[in-house]
Amino acid sequence: MWAVTNPYHSEECYMESTKTGDSDSGHNGDLYISQAESEVDRDSPTLETVSGFSTSSSPLPPEPFEPHFWVKFTGEVTKNGDVVKYTIKTWRRNDERTEFVVERQYEDIEWLEHCLITSNPIPGLIIPPLPPKPAITSEMAEIKSKKQLGSDTRTLIGDEFDKDCRHLEHYLKLLVSHHVFGKDEALEKFLTEKEPPPRAKVKKGIFSWLSDSIESRKGSHKDCEEYFQKERDWANQYSAYMKEASQAFNGIIYAQQRLSGVLGHLATTLTLSTGSNDEVNKLTHRLCTKFSECLEEVKNGLEEISYSDDSTLGDYFELYTRYLEAEKEMLFRRTCLLVAYENSNKALDKAKPNKRDAAEEAKLLAEKSFEECTDIARQEMKYFHRQRAAIFQDRLVRFTEEQVRCRKDLCMVLTKYLTNVKEFQAPCSEE
């Protein structure tokens, strides 16, 4: 059994975990926990009611947990066939001068998740979700390209190592800042030892508590506490909305990418020779070249807008689509313990005298497991909603700022080329 007094992950620890190296990430859209997000008041009534449930009593919040490491992906990525390795830098909290540099591939991170979960089987935890495996093979790249650019596209989207590093780095920061996983020896070895730990192939669905069809029926079991029942109802409904919002927002990004590709093709076509070398064709070619340059700038502007969209709200929707599933899995695990507790009560009532002691012991064990899970889950849920609201506010502000900046830049480019075209027309009219 676990101790209910495990230190809970604090706002300060998220701020500290991003202290080293984030300033040179190269863009403002990284899904990192900012200082503004880290200063969320735990007793804020505004954020407490975000999910629509009322405040419920819970034990006093444990002492803040300070992460032992700072983590930074350097952006150095090596690819050899289907193997992609990422370079990770790590510093100990109490010794910033000592730097650990390791190379890890996605399968190493996947194995780390498996080790952390199996060595810390605490049902009440909302486990930080691991990002999906990057599209590294040609088949995966083709599927991704057709999804984003259309089924009839012949263009393959290249490797998006920057995006992959951003997502995996944030995942490791969530682990490092976690009050349970952040103290695990497996995580320390993963970050500090040159050679990756030996790993076995992780079967798909090994972490899912919903894989057993019989067990999954317990998900509809009515909860004994209104607080948790409302949270379950909210999570089921809100996760559907989050998926829908993520798909719609990605649809906008994909449309921008398709338009950018069309503009690129058109810009290239305009620069092709028009045939004879007479004055009219020369003049036409010069005009088309200027128009092509303008289209290239617009194409670059759309790509920048698409990138900023993806790295702000796109990252938020993608992360919390998975995070809500993690919360639902935690709530399901608690429901399973509730069913086991209720069944143990029924078994005790029906137990014969010679089996009553064993039934009572089983009931007490089930009760303890359920209550401990409930205490941990209540703290996790409250922090989850505060963090979610704070991150959404931060990403929304960044998204708005990037929209204004990108469109101003694009407007300046269009104004510049419009002026060039007008100046180009003057000698034509004189002739």
Side-chain angles (χ1 to χ4, degrees), residues 220 290 351:
S220 59
K290 284 191 173 293

Side-chain angles (χ1 to χ4, degrees), residues 117 123 127 205 207-212 215-216 329 332-333 336:
I117 292 176
I127 302 170
F207 306 122
S208 175
W209 292 69
L210 303 177
S211 58
D212 190 325
E215 287 292 310
S216 64
E329 289 186 12
F332 176 77
R333 296 194 292 269
C336 290

Side-chain angles (χ1 to χ4, degrees), residues 262-275:
V262 170
L263 289 176
H265 288 305
L266 179 57
T268 302
T269 303
L270 286 172
T271 60
L272 299 178
S273 175
T274 56

Side-chain angles (χ1 to χ4, degrees), residues 261-431:
V262 170
L263 289 176
H265 288 305
L266 179 57
T268 302
T269 303
L270 286 172
T271 60
L272 299 178
S273 175
T274 56
S276 61
N277 201 27
D278 55 35
E279 291 301 321
V280 174
N281 280 331
K282 286 182 179 180
L283 191 63
T284 302
H285 183 68
R286 286 170 55 199
L287 181 60
C288 288
T289 300
K290 284 191 173 293
F291 188 36
S292 173
E293 292 173 357
C294 179
L295 290 180
E296 279 289 344
E297 291 292 341
V298 174
K299 169 181 172 293
N300 294 336
L302 278 176
E303 289 176 348
E304 188 172 0
I305 291 172
S306 175
Y307 177 84
S308 66
D309 290 352
D310 186 45
S311 59
T312 52
L313 284 185
D315 275 0
Y316 170 81
F317 288 136
E318 191 270 341
L319 173 63
Y320 276 92
T321 295
R322 292 181 286 108
Y323 231 137
L324 282 162
E325 292 300 319
E327 187 201 21
K328 287 165 62 178
E329 289 186 12
M330 180 277 290
L331 291 169
F332 176 77
R333 296 194 292 269
R334 180 184 169 278
T335 301
C336 290
L337 293 177
L338 171 62
V339 173
Y341 176 40
E342 292 177 347
N343 290 339
S344 67
N345 277 321
K346 294 177 183 177
L348 178 61
D349 292 339
K350 298 178 181 179
K352 296 180 180 179
N354 61 333
K355 296 183 178 180
R356 190 167 183 82
D357 289 343
E360 187 171 359
E361 183 179 352
K363 179 257 182 184
L364 291 175
L365 181 62
E367 180 181 16
K368 181 181 179 182
S369 299
F370 173 67
E371 289 182 350
E372 289 178 338
C373 176
T374 297
D375 288 337
I376 295 290
R378 184 177 286 112
Q379 293 287 352
E380 288 275 289
M381 284 159 44
K382 289 181 178 181
Y383 183 78
F384 172 77
H385 287 295
R386 288 179 173 86
Q387 176 186 297
R388 178 180 58 83
I391 292 180
F392 178 63
Q393 180 181 10
D394 179 77
R395 296 306 173 266
L396 194 59
V397 169
R398 293 187 186 185
F399 170 76
T400 305
E401 292 173 347
E402 287 296 299
Q403 290 290 305
V404 172
R405 182 187 64 81
C406 291
R407 266 124 181 115
K408 280 184 177 180
D409 293 344
L410 192 56
C411 183
M412 290 176 61
V413 168
L414 292 174
T415 302
K416 169 188 171 183
Y417 280 96
L418 178 61
T419 302
N420 290 345
V421 170
K422 287 180 178 179
E423 292 175 352
F424 179 83
Q425 291 175 344
C428 297
S429 59
E430 290 176 4
E431 292 177 5

